[in-house]
Amino acid sequence: MTADLLIINIKCIVQVRESISHFLAGKEMAELPTLDDGYLLITGERISGLGPMSALPQISSAVTVDAAGGWLFPSFVDSHTHLVYAASREEEFVMKIAGATYEEIASRGGGILNSAKKIQAMSEEELFERSLPRAHEIIGSGTGAVEIKSGYGLTVKDELKMLKVARRIGKETLLTVKTTFLGAHTVPRETNKDDYIRSILNEMIPAIAEQKLADYIDVFCEQGFFSPDETEIIAEAGKRYGMRPRLHANQLHRSGGVQAGVRVGAISVDHLENIGDEEIQLLKGTETMPTALPGAAFFLNLPFPPARKMIDSGLPLGIASDFNPGSAPTGNMPLMLSLACIKMKMTPQEAINASTINTAYTLGLLDTYGSIGIGKMASVFITKPMPSLAFMPYSFGSSLISKVILKGRVIQGSRDNKR
Ligand code: NIG
Ligand code: FE
């Protein structure tokens, strides 16, 4: 047999599934298939073989990586980030410590408008240079596929600039990147909301579609931002140009975002800090993935989404980072797993399914990402030796990842991680 890369002595290969055609919901989320004491073969960008070490075939011409008793996972799929941004906002963090709420900071010109002002003043090249290290950072913490939103541009030119930078990150790193147009993140200062919505519908969406810069469309459906009706109008317009909706819903209030998302057939509704039984019932039997962003709930001291109740009532659940400068300044997915287990009472198995298969489903990547099987993308990570699966979320804040392989290439450090 030939292969390019052979990984041996893997204590446990996690999330082994030959074929998976749909997301995991309810009790299915507790099932995490594994293979003990295994090897993995990689040819080109893809996984070409796996099995127990006892059945290791004769391989010619392969570079061998010894996992030395570490565990092997499929890369995380982070389905919600805003990692293209100009600058951090720790001054607002200090305001929050002193008691200001997210909404108060936004109404004083902080928040999204603060980020927009900085992006508008920055060249595309500089924005790329500032954002690229964040892509390398998430690669180092195990992410292999990521969604990146616009939404800090708020003008035609600057929304295009953000999306071009996001696409370039997908070209210049080994991450798979999906992009989302989030022009409806907030209304720019000194602009009337109706005029701004008209600009989204008549200028931004057509220009973005023409240059094929966005795979999805998003709206911040929230009191003081965009209403459910406005959300539907914008989402439907995006759909007409081939951008499927994925929405910010129910973060700060029970604002009707889930209802709007289900009505427009959103592939996901994200945040969900403020949902009740009505929203849970409504999501049942739909194609819409409820997605929790535990880093944002933690950072803003919001209630966490009722994950236990949702899963126990049969719903699927996704987990993503929300990496952004205002409400979640990290894209560290292992930390999201710890928060999911500690604060949302998810089991380690459920948290891993939520951040691999269920998020891959929302990005249309189920065939290639989120699980280990022949023909899937060889984007995986190997841990340091661990006594059990639960050790990963248990060790919150510790880095347990010893080696990252993306698209069949061993990542040595951020410089080597270009195509
Ligand atoms: O997902 N809630 C809206 N958007 C982001 C935060 C944006 C910001 O504060 O910069 C979020 O939390
Ligand atoms: Fe967000």
Side-chain angles (χ1 to χ4, degrees):
M1 257 180 114
T2 60
D4 296 328
L5 199 65
L6 165 64
I7 308 170
I8 57 169
N9 296 327
I10 306 165
K11 170 88 178 144
C12 182
I13 305 180
V14 177
Q15 194 66 295
V16 179
R17 304 196 192 237
E18 280 308 314
S19 75
I20 173 132
S21 54
H22 211 250
F23 57 69
L24 302 168
K27 287 192 172 51
E28 292 165 349
M29 288 193 64
E31 293 160 20
L32 187 66
T34 55
L35 174 77
D36 287 342
D37 297 318
Y39 72 87
L40 189 87
L41 279 176
I42 295 171
T43 305
E45 292 193 328
R46 305 282 174 146
I47 295 171
S48 53
L50 72 157
M53 280 301 286
S54 57
L56 185 67
Q58 282 286 353
I59 315 287
S60 59
S61 74
V63 171
T64 302
V65 171
D66 190 342
W71 294 49
L72 185 138
F73 289 72
S75 293
F76 294 114
V77 179
D78 189 350
S79 63
H80 182 138
T81 83
H82 311 245
L83 72 74
V84 170
Y85 58 82
S88 58
R89 301 205 320 248
E90 64 275 15
E91 64 287 357
E92 295 175 12
F93 171 68
V94 175
M95 287 160 78
K96 275 182 215 113
I97 294 169
T101 66
Y102 183 81
E103 289 147 301
E104 283 161 1
I105 291 168
S107 71
R108 284 189 235 156
I112 298 164
L113 289 173
N114 178 352
S115 284
K117 204 158 77 190
K118 290 176 185 154
I119 271 201
Q120 289 162 2
M122 191 171 276
S123 70
E124 188 179 318
E125 185 60 31
E126 188 176 358
L127 185 59
F128 175 74
E129 293 301 330
R130 295 247 187 156
S131 303
L132 188 63
R134 295 181 203 117
H136 291 310
E137 189 185 324
I138 65 170
I139 288 171
S141 56
T143 296
V146 65
E147 180 257 20
I148 305 176
K149 300 176 193 297
S150 67
Y152 294 130
L154 308 182
T155 68
V156 182
K157 173 167 82 55
D158 297 297
E159 286 293 302
L160 288 169
K161 178 161 83 188
M162 285 190 76
L163 290 167
K164 284 182 193 158
V165 168
R167 283 276 193 242
R168 190 171 160 199
I169 288 172
K171 290 200 186 83
E172 296 202 19
T173 71
L174 291 164
L175 287 168
T176 285
V177 173
K178 296 278 185 169
T179 57
T180 300
F181 168 54
L182 174 57
H185 202 183
T186 193
V187 178
R189 208 197 295 277
E190 283 142 26
T191 311
N192 150 313
K193 198 196 219 181
D194 288 340
D195 287 346
Y196 186 59
I197 293 177
R198 265 193 289 278
S199 163
I200 289 175
L201 301 179
N202 301 331
E203 298 178 85
M204 293 187 187
I205 293 176
I208 287 163
E210 201 195 317
Q211 298 188 47
K212 297 192 171 39
L213 287 174
D215 305 304
Y216 298 94
I217 186 157
D218 194 347
V219 180
F220 187 18
C221 183
E222 185 55 64
Q223 286 176 30
F225 294 83
F226 295 88
S227 72
D229 287 348
E230 291 159 347
T231 299
E232 277 189 55
I233 291 168
I234 296 164
E236 289 294 344
K239 273 162 71 176
R240 286 195 288 278
Y241 283 85
M243 302 172 204
R244 186 149 184 198
R246 47 191 325 116
L247 301 179
H248 280 73
N250 297 59
Q251 180 184 18
L252 306 174
H253 301 95
R254 238 174 123 180
S255 45
V258 170
Q259 284 82 349
V262 170
R263 276 199 295 272
V264 300
I267 192 72
S268 76
V269 283
D270 300 4
H271 272 296
L272 312 178
E273 286 86 342
N274 288 284
I275 66 165
D277 292 340
E278 189 187 320
E279 286 85 355
I280 290 176
Q281 289 309 321
L282 200 70
L283 283 163
K284 281 196 188 161
T286 70
E287 294 292 301
T288 304
M289 176 67 60
T291 301
L293 310 172
F298 174 70
F299 192 80
L300 297 182
N301 272 315
L302 298 174
F304 282 76
R308 206 51 282 144
K309 197 170 184 180
M310 294 162 79
I311 296 170
D312 290 345
S313 71
L315 283 185
L317 190 72
I319 296 214
S321 74
D322 200 14
F323 194 176
N324 78 76
S327 67
T330 178
N332 188 300
M333 289 299 284
L335 181 59
M336 298 308 125
L337 297 192
S338 296
L339 291 173
C341 296
I342 298 162
K343 298 301 230 177
M344 290 162 44
K345 308 247 179 302
M346 291 172 71
T347 66
Q349 288 81 359
E350 287 171 338
I352 288 161
N353 281 325
S355 54
T356 54
I357 286 179
N358 281 358
T359 42
Y361 158 80
T362 77
L363 294 181
L365 294 173
L366 213 43
D367 286 351
T368 44
Y369 279 89
S371 58
I372 303 290
I374 292 171
K376 298 204 172 141
M377 194 62 81
S379 289
V380 303
F381 63 86
I382 301 167
T383 69
K384 296 171 188 167
M386 307 195 296
S388 69
L389 183 86
F391 189 76
M392 180 179 260
Y394 157 87
S395 309
F396 86 101
S398 299
S399 176
L400 296 176
I401 297 178
S402 74
K403 208 172 245 7
V404 172
I405 294 163
L406 290 186
K407 297 181 177 165
R409 305 245 211 115
V410 180
I411 306 294
Q412 307 289 359
S414 63
R415 276 165 195 275
D416 300 326
N417 137 27
K418 300 214 168 187
R419 281 172 181 278

